[in-house]
Amino acid sequence: MRQIISFKLELTNLEAVRGASEACDQAVHSSTAREQTSEATKKCAKRGNLDIEILYKDRDLLVINKPAGLITHPDGRTDEASVSEWLSIKYPETVGVGEPFERDGLVIKKPGIVHRLDRETSGAMVVARSQKAFLNLKEQFQNREVRKLYHTFI
């Protein structure tokens, strides 16, 4: 049995996101960010290019159409292509954006990732292009100001 899940979201306060990132973050210019981008580029080159559709783009955020079968960010257990890896190559300004997490002593970076979709789920994902936009979007998600709509086909 094949299951298809799609996801749609509605940002209710896009102007707040735009206003929050007036000053552009400079994290991408650090040597650490360049090293991470270079490493991600090597990994993607081995796997071939990912083709992810951009639904919306401005200086503060991206909205992408994540395909089913692709993980949002690495989990520290497997080595496979991910949205975060694609972002670090296509949009290197996202490398220093977001909040990493730790699993089993390994720090996992999630460049620009504000929320995630499961591997099997396709649909709209919001990605922050600056830390200020990330913090504003994160707050909107936490305060349930973002409307999410899921469709499941079984």
Side-chain angles (χ1 to χ4, degrees):
M1 178 187 312
R2 182 172 176 150
Q3 177 176 317
I4 301 171
I5 303 169
S6 69
F7 171 78
K8 175 185 174 185
L9 59 86
E10 177 182 316
L11 290 173
T12 58
N13 197 355
L14 189 55
E15 288 305 314
V17 175
R18 289 185 185 129
S21 60
E22 288 289 321
C24 194
D25 292 352
Q26 298 300 318
V28 74
H29 299 296
S30 72
S31 61
T32 303
R34 283 193 298 273
E35 289 167 12
Q36 291 168 350
T37 301
S38 175
E39 186 59 33
T41 302
K42 290 175 192 171
K43 283 183 180 180
C44 261
K46 290 179 186 174
R47 295 185 177 103
N49 290 330
L50 296 174
D51 186 23
I52 298 178
E53 179 184 9
I54 305 295
L55 302 173
Y56 176 82
K57 175 180 164 182
D58 67 24
R59 69 182 187 158
D60 301 309
L61 61 91
L62 297 167
V63 179
I64 63 169
N65 185 16
K66 184 191 104 45
L70 182 65
I71 60 172
T72 300
H73 56 77
D75 62 4
R77 297 180 188 147
T78 62
D79 182 30
E80 58 189 293
S82 67
V83 171
S84 64
E85 184 178 82
W86 176 83
L87 285 166
S88 65
I89 293 166
K90 297 290 187 180
Y91 298 92
E93 70 273 14
T94 64
V95 170
V97 176
E99 296 174 347
F101 72 96
E102 187 174 332
R103 173 173 282 152
D104 300 328
L106 180 66
V107 175
I108 309 227
K109 299 194 183 226
K110 307 181 296 180
I113 303 293
V114 178
H115 66 100
R116 70 175 191 83
L117 293 177
D118 290 342
R119 176 192 314 264
E120 300 82 18
T121 304
S122 65
M125 274 189 68
V126 178
V127 177
R129 296 178 75 179
S130 73
Q131 188 65 19
K132 289 182 181 184
F134 172 81
L135 294 171
N136 186 278
L137 287 163
K138 177 182 165 187
E139 183 179 351
Q140 288 186 50
F141 272 90
Q142 287 175 336
N143 294 336
R144 308 267 190 243
E145 295 171 8
V146 176
R147 196 177 97 189
K148 299 179 266 186
L149 176 65
Y150 294 87
H151 295 280
T152 303
F153 301 96
I154 299 178

